[in-house]
Amino acid sequence: MAATKKKTQRSPEQGEKAMIAGILEGSPEAVGVAVIRLSCGCRKMAAVSLAGEPASKIIMYRDQAESVCAQCKQDNGDYMRVTEQFISWKEPEPDEKTRRTISAKVLGTTEDLPN
């Protein structure tokens, strides 16, 4: 009896997790990776340091595509098309206050931060 092969479907989130792991591996000083998802399906990512500074180059990609979309090629992923942004923290995560401070610096969070 012949074994049937299932075609494995890879979700965009799986690709994103793999990219995050690769960025962290190449950025030993990183405490996390800033992830910016765009309405077109492209993503921008960069490692961030404990000081909230870039710890890698910005990587822009579209999952399972050879390059980013035509719109991103033109406007470099304009912030007006951002649908979601967050930091994927490396284990062990920094404390809550540090995470909030870094997030505000990196992503421009508009939340009120405690003094």
Coordinates of all heavy atoms in Angstrom, one line a residue, residues 4-6 18 34 39-42 70-72 76 80 87-88 90-91 95-97 110:
T4 N 0.5 8.0 1.3 CA 0.1 9.2 0.7 C 0.9 10.4 1.4 O 1.1 10.4 2.6 CB -1.4 9.5 0.9 OG1 -1.7 9.5 2.3 CG2 -2.2 8.4 0.1
K5 N 1.3 11.3 0.6 CA 2.1 12.4 1.1 C 1.1 13.6 1.2 O 0.4 13.9 0.3 CB 3.2 12.8 0.2 CG 4.3 11.8 0.2 CD 5.5 12.3 -0.7 CE 6.6 11.3 -0.7 NZ 7.7 11.8 -1.5
K6 N 1.1 14.2 2.4 CA 0.3 15.4 2.6 C 1.2 16.6 2.2 O 2.3 16.7 2.7 CB -0.2 15.5 4.0 CG -1.3 14.6 4.4 CD -1.8 14.9 5.7 CE -3.0 14.1 6.1 NZ -3.5 14.4 7.4
A18 N 10.0 32.1 12.0 CA 11.3 31.7 11.5 C 12.2 32.9 11.3 O 13.4 32.8 11.6 CB 11.2 30.8 10.2
A34 N 11.3 43.9 16.6 CA 10.1 44.7 16.3 C 9.6 44.1 15.0 O 10.3 43.9 14.0 CB 10.5 46.1 16.1
S39 N -0.7 46.2 5.5 CA -1.9 45.8 4.9 C -1.8 45.0 3.6 O -2.6 44.2 3.3 CB -2.8 47.0 4.6 OG -2.2 47.9 3.6
C40 N -0.6 45.1 2.9 CA -0.4 44.3 1.7 C 0.1 42.9 2.0 O 0.2 42.1 1.1 CB 0.7 45.1 0.9 SG 2.2 45.3 1.8
G41 N 0.4 42.6 3.2 CA 1.0 41.3 3.6 C 2.5 41.3 3.8 O 3.0 40.3 4.2
C42 N 3.1 42.4 3.4 CA 4.6 42.5 3.7 C 4.8 42.8 5.2 O 3.9 43.2 5.9 CB 5.2 43.6 2.8 SG 5.1 43.2 1.0
A70 N 4.9 45.5 -5.0 CA 5.2 46.7 -5.8 C 5.0 48.0 -5.0 O 5.8 48.9 -5.1 CB 4.4 46.7 -7.1
Q71 N 4.0 48.0 -4.2 CA 3.7 49.2 -3.4 C 4.8 49.4 -2.4 O 5.3 50.5 -2.2 CB 2.4 49.0 -2.6 CG 2.0 50.2 -1.8 CD 1.6 51.4 -2.7 OE1 1.0 51.3 -3.7 NE2 1.9 52.6 -2.2
C72 N 5.3 48.3 -1.7 CA 6.4 48.5 -0.7 C 7.7 48.9 -1.4 O 8.5 49.6 -0.9 CB 6.6 47.2 0.1 SG 5.4 47.0 1.3
N76 N 8.5 51.9 0.5 CA 9.3 51.3 1.5 C 8.4 50.9 2.7 O 8.8 51.0 3.9 CB 10.5 52.2 2.0 CG 11.5 51.4 2.8 OD1 11.7 50.2 2.6 ND2 12.2 52.1 3.6
M80 N 1.4 54.5 6.9 CA -0.1 54.6 6.8 C -0.7 53.2 6.5 O -1.9 53.1 6.6 CB -0.4 55.6 5.7 CG 0.0 57.0 6.0 SD -0.9 57.7 7.5 CE -2.5 57.8 6.8
I87 N 6.5 43.9 19.5 CA 7.9 43.4 19.7 C 7.8 41.9 20.2 O 7.1 41.6 21.2 CB 8.7 44.2 20.7 CG1 8.9 45.6 20.1 CG2 10.1 43.5 21.0 CD1 9.7 46.6 21.0
S88 N 8.4 41.0 19.5 CA 8.5 39.6 19.9 C 9.8 39.6 20.8 O 10.9 39.8 20.4 CB 8.7 38.7 18.7 OG 8.8 37.4 19.1
K90 N 12.7 38.2 23.4 CA 13.6 37.1 23.6 C 13.5 36.6 25.0 O 13.3 37.4 25.9 CB 15.0 37.5 23.3 CG 16.1 36.5 23.3 CD 17.4 37.1 23.0 CE 18.6 36.1 23.1 NZ 19.8 36.8 22.7
E91 N 13.5 35.3 25.3 CA 13.5 34.8 26.6 C 14.9 34.9 27.2 O 15.9 34.6 26.6 CB 13.0 33.3 26.6 CG 11.6 33.1 26.2 CD 10.6 33.7 27.2 OE1 10.9 33.7 28.4 OE2 9.5 34.1 26.8
D95 N 11.8 43.1 32.2 CA 10.6 43.4 33.1 C 9.6 44.3 32.3 O 9.9 44.9 31.3 CB 11.1 44.0 34.4 CG 11.8 45.4 34.2 OD1 11.1 46.4 33.9 OD2 13.0 45.4 34.3
E96 N 8.4 44.4 32.9 CA 7.3 45.1 32.3 C 7.6 46.6 32.0 O 7.4 47.0 30.9 CB 6.1 45.0 33.2 CG 4.9 45.8 32.7 CD 4.2 45.2 31.4 OE1 4.4 44.1 31.1 OE2 3.6 46.0 30.7
K97 N 8.2 47.3 32.9 CA 8.6 48.7 32.7 C 9.6 48.8 31.6 O 9.4 49.7 30.7 CB 9.1 49.3 34.0 CG 9.4 50.8 33.8 CD 10.0 51.4 35.1 CE 10.3 52.8 34.9 NZ 10.9 53.4 36.1
T110 N 1.5 55.3 21.9 CA 0.9 56.5 22.4 C 0.3 56.3 23.8 O -0.3 57.2 24.4 CB -0.3 57.0 21.5 OG1 -1.2 55.9 21.4 CG2 0.2 57.3 20.2

